[in-house]
């Protein structure tokens, strides 16, 4: 699985986004150490706060299937499904990633067709609060 293929899966996952309120379709593709891919999309809700981001959908799908060892995630998003620029993970998703992934975990953020930025978790969430901070 190349980074480009993972990004393409994130772009494809945008198709299933349920976004009647914002119109922003977001997709994520999470690669596990065992070589599986879990995709996710954002799913909004009329009450707004129950909405969930694409990244967390992918992570929670994976964890609920017994996977906790992750290599990298790709994320893509844009208004009405058109990618105009990077759509980086929100703070809550960064925190959920930090629960399971090392500071070196890679986050690929799609910015255009065949173009993406590569960030580490520690770049996007420096000095993270992690399970190591509590007993
Ligand atoms: N969204 C994501 O799916 N991932 C992020 O990390 C940022 C935001 C979603 C939430 C909402 O459905 C839409 O994008 C607009 O904020």
């Amino acid at each position: 699985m190349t980074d480009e293929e993972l990004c393409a899966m994130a772009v494809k996952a945008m198709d299933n986004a349920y976004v009647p309120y914002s119109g922003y379709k977001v997709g994520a593709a999470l690669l596990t150490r065992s070589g599986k891919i879990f995709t996710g999309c954002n799913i909004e809700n009329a009450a707004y706060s129950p909405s969930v981001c694409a990244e967390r959908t992918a992570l929670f799908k994976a964890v609920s299937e017994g996977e906790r060892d992750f290599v990298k995630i790709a994320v893509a998003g844009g208004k009405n499904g058109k990618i105009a620029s990077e759509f980086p993970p929100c703070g809550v998703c960064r925190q959920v990633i930090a629960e399971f992934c090392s500071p070196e975990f890679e986050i690929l953020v799609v910015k255009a067709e065949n173009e993406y930025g590569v960030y580490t978790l520690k770049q996007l969430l420096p000095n993270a609060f992690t399970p190591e901070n509590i007993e």
Side-chain angles (χ1 to χ4, degrees):
M1 169 66 49
T2 66
D3 285 359
E4 289 74 14
E5 287 169 334
L6 198 65
C7 287
M9 292 189 77
V11 172
K12 183 88 186 78
M14 291 168 62
D15 290 346
N16 290 331
Y18 174 73
V19 290
Y21 308 106
S22 78
Y24 281 91
K25 293 185 169 203
V26 188
L30 176 67
L31 175 64
T32 71
R33 190 86 48 201
S34 60
K36 289 186 206 151
I37 312 284
F38 288 86
T39 60
C41 62
N42 53 336
I43 304 166
E44 297 182 346
N45 188 280
Y48 287 23
S49 64
S51 302
V52 68
C53 293
E55 298 91 321
R56 273 176 288 150
T57 302
L59 279 152
F60 293 157
K61 278 171 69 179
V63 173
S64 68
E65 298 291 327
E67 300 280 344
R68 292 182 191 166
D69 195 358
F70 306 121
V71 180
K72 57 183 78 173
I73 191 168
V75 187
K79 185 84 175 168
N80 301 321
K82 285 203 184 339
I83 300 167
S85 60
E86 289 194 0
F87 211 83
C90 79
V92 174
C93 289
R94 293 176 199 200
Q95 183 64 34
V96 173
I97 292 170
E99 182 72 20
F100 297 103
C101 304
S102 79
E104 306 304 329
F105 177 79
E106 279 185 353
I107 299 165
L108 314 177
V109 183
V110 176
K111 42 178 137 175
E113 191 135 353
N114 301 320
E115 222 189 312
Y116 57 91
V118 182
Y119 303 92
T120 59
L121 177 60
K122 75 174 179 213
Q123 281 178 301
L124 298 189
L125 191 64
N127 197 20
F129 184 79
T130 71
E132 286 167 16
N133 294 110
I134 53 174
E135 289 180 27

